[in-house]
Amino acid sequence: MSEVFFRPAADIGPENTQIDQIKELFKKINVVEKGDLVAIKIHPGEYGNTTYVRPVIVRTVADLVKEAGGIPFITDTTVLYSGKRFNGADLLWTAAVNGFTFGSMNAPFISADGLLGDDSVAVPIGGEYIDEITVASAIAKADAMIMLSHCKGHPASGFGGAVKNLGMGCLDKEGKAKVHAPGKPDIDMERCIGCGKCIKTCPWDAISLKNGKANVDKNLCKGELSCLGSCQFDSIRPPEDCTTEMQAILGEAALGPLKLLPEKIGYINWIFDLTPGCDCFNFSAQPFAGNVGILASMNPVAIDKASLDLINHQINKEGCMHSIKDVWGIDPIVHLEYAERMGVGSMEYSLDI
């Protein structure tokens, strides 16, 4: 049974700030040895998003890494969708606009998978769905990692936390495409009016007009499904149950970074601003539940299970829904179960408050 350390949001005050809580929790998951190059894996938010983990929290972690003798760098990876993080240059620009600069964090920000999102290391997985996965090279070649995850909802996995940060956030474009592969959509020809909006959304040129209707080239499509939001006629249809298969691959892919950094990853889950959508959204919707607090653990599956339990408790207390599953109709326990099967971690935990 893994220990998960919890500092409630309700305890925050002038003598016990989030910074104070991070300093306490870091001691519990400090994997840094003198001279280590330490990746601090974050999500800096898409341009227009405002509810990502705040730079001052990241700065606190960077300072703690330095105090432990490590050399910190802040990092994230490029994305599959058309936005302001598609390549390494735009990723660094967006991070800076959102407040993640050397001046604010006292550490450099690096695109972990390089300029074009193809700088990676292949890792054998041997899963039910995937044999190997490609981990971004700056993470693969680091000596240690502190993973700082903003917990929130997600339209494909139901929930984003430490496991999703491992099995998606630490991958290059090829790895992300492998996880998203079950999502390659079809077109409902009766609904499609051939407006072409979806064509502009896809950065892979996978959609074209054929006989006045949208057509998806599944050899080019990456399955990321950002095209769904471009169609007001509901003509883009993902495969049935694709989210379940995607979660299974996500759980398996989470093993990749662990194999490269065994016993050298510490996890912090930041459960504030519980928005329905991922920080990849270019806006921040209203939270679906109140703030919960900060958790830390050496076990990514346990910390996510504890986070889900605490979020569901908050939801029940407020009476707004039954559980986080109600946000998107997707049960996030699926990717935790697959991660557990792969040996990423165990869902059994004890909560230390």
Side-chain angles (χ1 to χ4, degrees):
M1 184 175 292
S2 298
E3 283 187 292
V4 177
F5 304 94
F6 176 45
R7 297 297 179 267
D11 290 353
I12 292 173
E15 304 300 324
N16 184 29
T17 67
Q18 285 193 42
I19 293 171
D20 295 323
Q21 292 182 340
I22 290 288
K23 288 178 178 179
E24 288 180 28
L25 292 170
F26 183 83
K27 298 173 186 176
K28 310 291 186 181
I29 51 107
N30 183 9
V31 293
V32 181
E33 298 178 76
K34 187 176 181 180
D36 278 354
L37 277 169
V38 183
I40 301 175
K41 173 64 179 71
I42 68 165
H43 190 315
E46 182 56 64
Y47 180 61
N49 193 288
T50 56
T51 47
Y52 42 81
V53 177
R54 308 302 191 264
V56 68
I57 302 298
V58 182
R59 166 63 181 262
T60 302
V61 175
D63 287 346
L64 290 167
V65 168
K66 288 186 176 184
E67 289 175 16
I71 305 166
F73 63 93
I74 319 302
T75 196
D76 191 26
T77 53
T78 64
V79 297
L80 294 177
Y81 63 86
S82 180
K84 285 294 186 179
R85 296 188 302 128
F86 187 74
N87 58 60
D90 279 345
L91 171 59
L92 267 64
W93 180 88
T94 300
V97 168
N98 286 349
F100 298 95
T101 64
F102 189 91
S104 67
M105 299 181 298
N106 198 25
F109 189 100
I110 295 172
S111 176
D113 55 346
L115 182 64
L116 300 178
D118 57 1
D119 191 354
S120 61
V121 172
V123 184
I125 293 296
E128 178 183 344
Y129 288 88
I130 54 174
D131 291 326
E132 70 172 25
I133 200 66
T134 43
V135 176
S137 63
I139 291 169
K141 296 175 182 179
D143 298 307
M145 179 163 64
I146 302 297
M147 178 159 282
L148 183 51
S149 304
H150 174 206
C151 294
K152 64 277 177 189
H154 194 279
S157 58
F159 166 78
V163 172
K164 186 174 182 297
N165 212 346
L166 286 169
M168 186 72 74
C170 288
L171 309 182
D172 72 340
K173 278 184 165 59
E174 180 184 344
K176 288 184 174 72
K178 188 171 286 190
V179 178
H180 281 104
K184 298 180 181 183
D186 294 306
I187 304 296
D188 185 331
M189 295 301 175
E190 292 185 2
R191 289 179 174 271
C192 178
I193 66 166
C195 67
K197 288 183 179 179
C198 54
I199 296 173
K200 298 176 183 178
T201 304
C202 180
W204 304 100
D205 297 324
I207 308 177
S208 60
L209 287 181
K210 186 175 182 181
N211 299 322
K213 302 285 186 177
N215 178 71
V216 178
D217 184 337
K218 295 187 179 180
N219 291 320
L220 296 176
C221 177
K222 304 300 181 184
E224 194 273 332
L225 291 176
S226 59
C227 54
L228 283 179
S230 69
C231 183
Q232 66 188 83
F233 302 100
D234 195 29
S235 66
I236 302 174
R237 298 295 178 88
E240 190 174 352
D241 296 328
C242 70
T243 56
T244 299
E245 187 174 346
M246 195 220 77
Q247 283 201 74
I249 301 172
L250 175 68
E252 292 186 356
L255 181 61
L258 267 73
K259 290 188 73 173
L260 293 167
L261 295 169
E263 308 298 324
K264 291 286 283 183
I265 306 177
Y267 304 90
I268 298 173
N269 277 8
W270 189 77
I271 316 180
F272 293 80
D273 295 323
L274 279 162
T275 53
C278 176
D279 293 342
C280 291
F281 285 23
N282 64 353
F283 67 97
S284 294
Q286 288 295 311
F288 58 82
N291 294 330
V292 172
I294 307 174
L295 288 80
S297 181
M298 293 296 294
N299 180 334
V301 179
I303 195 173
D304 275 4
K305 181 61 167 62
S307 297
L308 286 171
D309 289 344
L310 288 166
I311 290 169
N312 287 336
H313 176 74
Q314 183 71 20
I315 288 171
N316 289 326
K317 184 171 70 173
E318 295 175 5
C320 48
M321 295 178 293
H322 292 295
S323 73
I324 194 173
K325 181 180 177 181
D326 295 332
V327 176
W328 293 99
I330 297 169
D331 190 352
I333 205 71
V334 174
H335 67 266
L336 299 191
E337 290 174 342
Y338 274 87
E340 186 175 48
R341 291 182 199 178
M342 295 297 291
V344 174
S346 168
M347 281 193 273
E348 295 292 324
Y349 69 90
S350 62
L351 197 63
D352 185 324
I353 302 177

